[in-house]
Amino acid sequence: MKIKSILVKSIAVAAMSVTGLVVANNAGSNTAQAAIVQNDASVVTVNYVSNNSISVYNNYENPVATGQILASNTSWKVIKTAYDSKGHKWYDLGKNQWVRAKYVTIGHHAAATQTQTTAQASTQAPAQSQTQTQNTQTASNTSASSYTSNASGSEASAKAWIANRESGGSYSASNGQYVGKYQLSASYLNGDYSAANQERVADNYVKSRYGSWSAAKSFWQANGWY
């Protein structure tokens, strides 16, 4: 009986260590403690389809819903990764806005920016010949190089406001994984950091997530990011 008890405790400790929890020995008992761990995601996409949205909480240790909800198939930057005392994994989307990891998928929702490369598209469509692929890539690059944003008036003003806050208006600015004038995740740009592609992807990103640059600006003012 004593051997069995020790074995069970050992297994429990090992399991909690694997999930990233901190284990402390208090009065001879193993107690899991909430802890922030190494971040394992730069972007996550909401995948909970039951109610087509998920709730946002104020923290991961004693979570209370903030009243904010995130719609399915929307993608969000991740600032921190943590586990609560029950072993549940959480992501901080910035300014202590936490969501349960079980309701999101690591990575960006492809439809959000429509920036699939030919190589990515080949996994979903018949493979092209090398010549066809090169022609497609050339056409894509030409299209990107000639892109002109249709933002005007208050939209153009809101767009410029965000660019100034994010990078000071510099296309060459970088901050870790975030690149360029609008500090987009490098994965969104698919290796093309040209000014034209940054403008195109930024417009698509904002349109898919917020509907307009004015709405994105309002979100930025409330949260410190967009």
Side-chain angles (χ1 to χ4, degrees):
M1 292 297 291
K2 184 176 181 180
I3 293 175
K4 180 178 180 182
S5 175
I6 293 174
L7 178 60
V8 170
K9 287 185 178 181
S10 298
I11 292 173
V13 170
M16 286 185 287
S17 298
V18 169
T19 61
L21 296 179
V22 176
V23 178
N25 192 312
N26 295 323
S29 63
N30 294 311
T31 303
Q33 296 180 339
I36 292 177
V37 298
Q38 183 176 358
N39 198 13
D40 66 356
S42 59
V43 177
V44 295
T45 297
V46 179
N47 63 7
Y48 191 60
V49 297
S50 178
N51 296 313
N52 293 317
S53 64
I54 62 173
S55 295
V56 176
Y57 295 85
N58 62 346
N59 64 74
Y60 69 94
E61 296 174 284
N62 298 293
V64 175
T66 63
Q68 181 185 2
I69 59 174
L70 306 180
S72 288
N73 296 324
T74 56
S75 300
W76 304 88
K77 296 178 183 178
V78 174
I79 308 302
K80 299 175 185 175
T81 301
Y83 287 87
D84 62 26
S85 59
K86 296 180 180 180
H88 299 145
K89 188 176 182 180
W90 294 79
Y91 289 119
D92 179 11
L93 307 183
K95 300 292 184 179
N96 286 320
Q97 298 177 101
W98 295 86
V99 295
R100 283 279 300 276
K102 66 181 292 185
Y103 299 132
V104 299
T105 301
I106 293 177
H108 182 255
H109 184 52
T113 60
Q114 298 178 344
T115 56
Q116 275 190 312
T117 63
T118 302
Q120 290 171 319
S122 69
T123 63
Q124 301 177 25
Q128 297 175 314
S129 67
Q130 183 176 6
T131 300
Q132 288 176 314
T133 299
Q134 291 174 336
N135 290 339
T136 300
Q137 291 174 331
T138 300
S140 176
N141 291 336
T142 301
S143 175
S145 66
S146 62
Y147 178 81
T148 301
S149 176
N150 59 8
S152 61
S154 60
E155 283 296 282
S157 177
K159 183 178 182 180
W161 185 94
I162 287 179
N164 185 57
R165 295 302 187 282
E166 291 289 325
S167 68
S170 172
Y171 287 113
S172 61
S174 63
N175 180 17
Q177 64 181 313
Y178 302 112
V179 177
K181 187 174 181 179
Y182 303 99
Q183 289 296 280
L184 300 164
S185 174
S187 63
Y188 294 4
L189 296 167
N190 289 319
D192 182 356
Y193 300 150
S194 66
N197 194 48
Q198 289 185 39
E199 294 290 339
R200 179 173 63 86
V201 174
D203 280 342
N204 288 338
Y205 168 81
V206 166
K207 181 179 179 181
S208 67
R209 176 169 290 181
Y210 301 104
S212 70
W213 280 100
S214 295
K217 177 182 176 181
S218 295
F219 184 91
W220 199 107
Q221 289 174 317
N223 300 279
W225 61 282
Y226 77 111

